[in-house]
Amino acid sequence: TFLHTCKNSRYPVEYSLDKLITLLDPANFFKINRQFILSINAIHSIQKISVNRLKISVKPEYNKDILVSIERYGKFKDWLDA
């Protein structure tokens, strides 16, 4: 597990994502799938790619697709609207 900062630094983290999400402020961080926890401040844009699928672009840029899982789609939209 690695932490990527907005200044494009990368740090190893001793926690699993499931443990890490319990330590972070839920107003600022959301676990969008099994691989990513996002900060609301890192979201650059959101693209709808199907009825219940979103692609997230982040800053700094990440070279792989970041997709909100189908299971988390509704909760993610609620989180953004909060």
Side-chain angles (χ1 to χ4, degrees), residues 61-74:
E61 191 174 328
Y62 187 71
N63 61 355
K64 295 182 182 177
D65 286 347
I66 302 174
L67 303 174
V68 177
S69 71
I70 293 169
E71 296 83 16
R72 298 182 197 273
Y73 175 84

Side-chain angles (χ1 to χ4, degrees), residues 21-31 38 40 79-80 82:
I21 197 65
T22 66
L23 302 172
L24 298 169
D25 180 357
N28 294 315
F29 294 91
F30 189 86
K31 184 177 176 189
L38 284 183
I40 194 142
W79 177 70
L80 288 175

Side-chain angles (χ1 to χ4, degrees), residues 13-81:
V13 178
E14 295 291 323
Y15 301 111
S16 69
L17 290 187
D18 288 333
K19 175 63 177 174
L20 191 57
I21 197 65
T22 66
L23 302 172
L24 298 169
D25 180 357
N28 294 315
F29 294 91
F30 189 86
K31 184 177 176 189
I32 62 163
N33 61 35
R34 289 184 282 175
Q35 295 177 322
F36 292 97
I37 295 173
L38 284 183
S39 165
I40 194 142
N41 298 321
I43 298 173
H44 176 65
S45 66
I46 301 171
Q47 177 184 5
K48 190 168 191 164
I49 57 174
S50 71
V51 174
N52 56 358
R53 203 76 158 142
L54 299 172
K55 180 179 175 182
I56 310 294
S57 295
V58 295
K59 51 188 177 190
E61 191 174 328
Y62 187 71
N63 61 355
K64 295 182 182 177
D65 286 347
I66 302 174
L67 303 174
V68 177
S69 71
I70 293 169
E71 296 83 16
R72 298 182 197 273
Y73 175 84
K75 289 182 181 181
F76 178 72
K77 298 224 2 134
D78 292 343
W79 177 70
L80 288 175
D81 293 337

